Amino acid sequence: MELGGRWGRSSTPRLVSEAAELPQDRRTGTEAEAADSGGVRARRFLLCLYLVGFLDLFGVSMVVPLLSLHIKSLGASPTVAGIVGSSYGILQLFSSTLVGCWSDVVGRRSSLLACILLSALGYLLLGAATNVFLFVLARVPAGIFKHTLSISRALLSDLVPEKERPLVIGHFNTASGVGFILGPVIGGYLTELEDGFYLTAFICFLVFILNAGLVWLLPWREAKPGSTEKGLPWRKTHVLLGRRARASEKAAWPWVKVVLALQNMKNLLFSEMWDIFLVRLLMAVAVMLYYSNFVLALEERFGLRPKVTGYLISYTSMLGAMAGLALGPILRLYKHNSQTLLLHSSVLTCTLLLLYSLAPAIGAVVISSTLLSFSTAIGRTCITDLQLTVGGAQASGTLIGVGQSVTAVGRIIAPLLSGIAQELSPCGPPSLGAALALVAIFIMSLNKPHFNGDGNGKLKSE
């Protein structure tokens, strides 16, 4: 997908095979074999990253569903348990952008390893927490450094061409989604054993250590922004880093570069990309409102037992994980125009939320839930690709981090809006979600030149 103007061409990958760097018309037979070998290594590298995503969510999903039960067993009141749960989201809100920018400056390998190991420390402390204070303390490392999936997505955006990026990120989401499906099953079984929660937390710690070993053993070959290696030049002028960041290239401390990059990122977000992140926020809140009272609403509207509703949630989660596999044919149908696909998936999400709100029977709920699992999964992948296309791959870690911070804001807002809407009707939260999705569609239509790539190129080069 070659997009002109503001969208520019995809930037050079930071991780490349040496064989792939040779011009096609100058390769000898040996060089062609080396290129084939490089392609195999690249595919293996991608598969290893998919495994990293799978193990990450597999470990986390074993523990997270049990947190509320465990903290109550430690003697915490429901209010204290709610505050502790919110503190994790608040830490994520402020750390996502900072850690993402840090990964742009120091490199993906160092930042990914640090985040995995410090998250592992958090889950090890969680397994040793015998009171509320230790429980809260254990959640701090994970709240600050549990950004392994974001850094992995940034690495994928560095590795693959722009045309293939949505497909690869979709496959990564599928792999991690499978982990989120299997993890609760294992965690639920282990927690029924004696000291089951502590055993589950320790196993999660071991999963993260295994993940760190996998990342350490990967055949990394990473180039820094602004460098040239084997004839692969990076753009020397990039607005995301700015003149001050380039002037500080000789600075001894990476955190100086992080601060300078964040200052330029703030100007970028408020002047150029505000509408993209506003759409992300609105769609995230809309989907969260749909899930916020799903079990309660089905019980009140149709008398559906929570156990049956749980099966429906598992079914839709499995379909959402499989949506990444369907992304390739869909992108080919749209000629790799992820902007149009985002608009259409948002329209479908809005329609399905409205259908669910007005569903006269459980059959309509099943149909809307089935299609929603696809539309929301595709929409998340497309909005991430849109951020990276507009912002530029050189600062992919920062951009993905900002996107995660926006989603964290949604996690804070959605419960409040859900409570207010639910006072009116069990259908209130999804109806409000449909209204917010409609606003997002209106913004995309209003800024159609922006979302179709007819911008001015300010974000790509000076």
Side-chain angles (χ1 to χ4, degrees):
M1 176 174 60
E2 298 198 2
L3 300 171
R6 175 174 182 170
W7 301 89
R9 296 177 182 270
S10 64
S11 56
T12 307
R14 294 183 192 175
L15 298 176
V16 292
S17 66
E18 294 182 4
E21 296 165 5
L22 296 171
Q24 184 70 33
D25 56 354
R26 295 174 56 188
R27 291 180 182 173
T28 63
T30 304
E31 291 167 346
E33 292 178 4
D36 293 339
S37 176
V40 171
R41 288 197 299 270
R43 286 192 293 272
R44 288 177 179 173
F45 192 95
L46 285 178
L47 291 176
C48 287
L49 281 180
Y50 296 158
L51 181 58
V52 168
F54 168 80
L55 290 174
D56 185 280
L57 276 191
F58 174 74
V60 169
S61 62
M62 284 197 301
V63 175
V64 170
L66 308 174
L67 292 179
S68 59
L69 293 175
H70 182 65
I71 192 171
K72 288 179 181 179
S73 71
L74 296 176
S77 65
T79 302
V80 173
I83 293 173
V84 173
S86 298
S87 64
Y88 178 84
I90 293 172
L91 287 172
Q92 290 270 295
L93 169 64
F94 291 103
S95 64
S96 294
T97 303
L98 186 62
V99 172
C101 185
W102 178 52
S103 75
D104 287 330
V105 173
V106 305
R108 307 289 184 227
R109 185 185 195 186
S110 301
S111 56
L112 186 56
L113 274 174
C115 285
I116 291 175
L117 291 174
L118 289 168
S119 298
L121 174 63
Y123 288 105
L124 180 63
L125 293 175
L126 194 64
T130 55
N131 55 58
V132 176
F133 175 76
L134 292 176
F135 184 95
V136 174
L137 186 64
R139 296 300 286 156
V140 172
I144 297 175
F145 293 102
K146 180 57 186 70
H147 301 293
T148 49
L149 294 181
S150 299
I151 297 175
S152 298
R153 292 188 183 99
L155 176 57
L156 288 173
S157 73
D158 297 339
L159 178 63
V160 301
E162 182 178 299
K163 184 177 180 180
E164 300 175 10
R165 186 171 59 209
L167 177 62
V168 172
I169 291 179
H171 288 170
F172 179 82
N173 292 340
T174 297
S176 56
V178 171
F180 196 81
I181 292 171
L182 297 179
V185 177
I186 305 298
Y189 172 77
L190 291 174
T191 196
E192 294 184 0
L193 304 177
E194 186 178 356
D195 295 328
F197 177 82
Y198 300 103
L199 176 63
T200 304
F202 183 71
I203 292 177
C204 179
F205 162 75
L206 294 179
V207 169
F208 271 78
I209 294 298
L210 176 63
N211 231 1
L214 180 61
V215 171
W216 178 262
L217 293 175
L218 285 176
W220 294 79
R221 192 170 162 276
E222 190 168 8
K224 299 292 183 184
S227 68
T228 57
E229 188 173 322
K230 298 282 186 180
L232 292 171
W234 283 81
R235 293 183 183 270
K236 295 183 179 179
T237 56
H238 196 277
V239 75
L240 289 179
L241 298 179
R243 289 189 176 91
R244 285 186 296 173
R246 292 195 303 274
S248 66
E249 286 178 355
K250 296 181 180 180
W253 301 103
W255 286 108
V256 175
K257 296 182 181 181
V258 171
V259 172
L260 292 174
L262 285 175
Q263 290 174 350
N264 288 277
M265 177 60 68
K266 180 182 69 174
N267 298 329
L268 169 69
L269 296 180
F270 286 106
S271 63
E272 299 288 349
M273 296 180 64
W274 66 268
D275 48 352
I276 295 176
F277 288 107
L278 180 57
V279 167
R280 182 184 183 113
L281 176 63
L282 290 171
M283 294 304 300
V285 173
V287 175
M288 290 174 193
L289 286 171
Y290 162 74
Y291 285 110
S292 63
N293 72 331
F294 190 73
V295 177
L296 180 61
L298 291 188
E299 185 176 11
E300 291 185 3
R301 294 173 63 188
F302 306 106
L304 210 63
R305 294 168 54 195
K307 182 179 180 180
V308 179
T309 306
Y311 290 141
L312 179 59
I313 293 174
S314 298
Y315 160 72
T316 56
S317 298
M318 187 176 299
L319 290 179
M322 294 173 59
L325 301 177
L327 194 59
I330 295 173
L331 278 171
R332 287 193 290 272
L333 179 65
Y334 277 80
K335 299 180 179 179
H336 296 276
N337 189 337
S338 59
Q339 296 80 41
T340 302
L341 181 55
L342 173 63
L343 177 61
H344 290 176
S345 68
S346 300
V347 171
L348 180 59
T349 298
C350 178
T351 304
L352 293 171
L353 288 174
L354 190 60
L355 173 63
Y356 166 74
S357 303
L358 303 176
I362 192 63
V365 172
V366 173
I367 293 173
S368 61
S369 298
T370 299
L371 296 177
L372 264 172
S373 63
F374 281 93
S375 67
T376 54
I378 291 172
R380 283 195 301 269
T381 302
C382 289
I383 194 68
T384 300
D385 181 62
L386 184 62
Q387 291 171 204
L388 295 172
T389 303
V390 175
Q394 285 95 330
S396 55
T398 307
L399 288 164
I400 292 177
V402 174
Q404 294 300 315
S405 295
V406 170
T407 304
V409 173
R411 292 192 185 101
I412 296 172
I413 296 174
L416 176 62
L417 295 179
S418 176
I420 296 173
Q422 198 167 334
E423 292 288 342
L424 303 176
S425 166
C427 301
S431 300
L432 179 59
L436 294 178
L438 187 61
V439 174
I441 294 167
F442 176 74
I443 292 173
M444 281 187 274
S445 301
L446 192 64
N447 294 274
K448 192 173 181 180
H450 183 151
F451 280 87
N452 283 333
D454 299 328
N456 53 19
K458 288 182 180 178
L459 300 182
K460 282 294 182 183
S461 61
E462 293 179 340

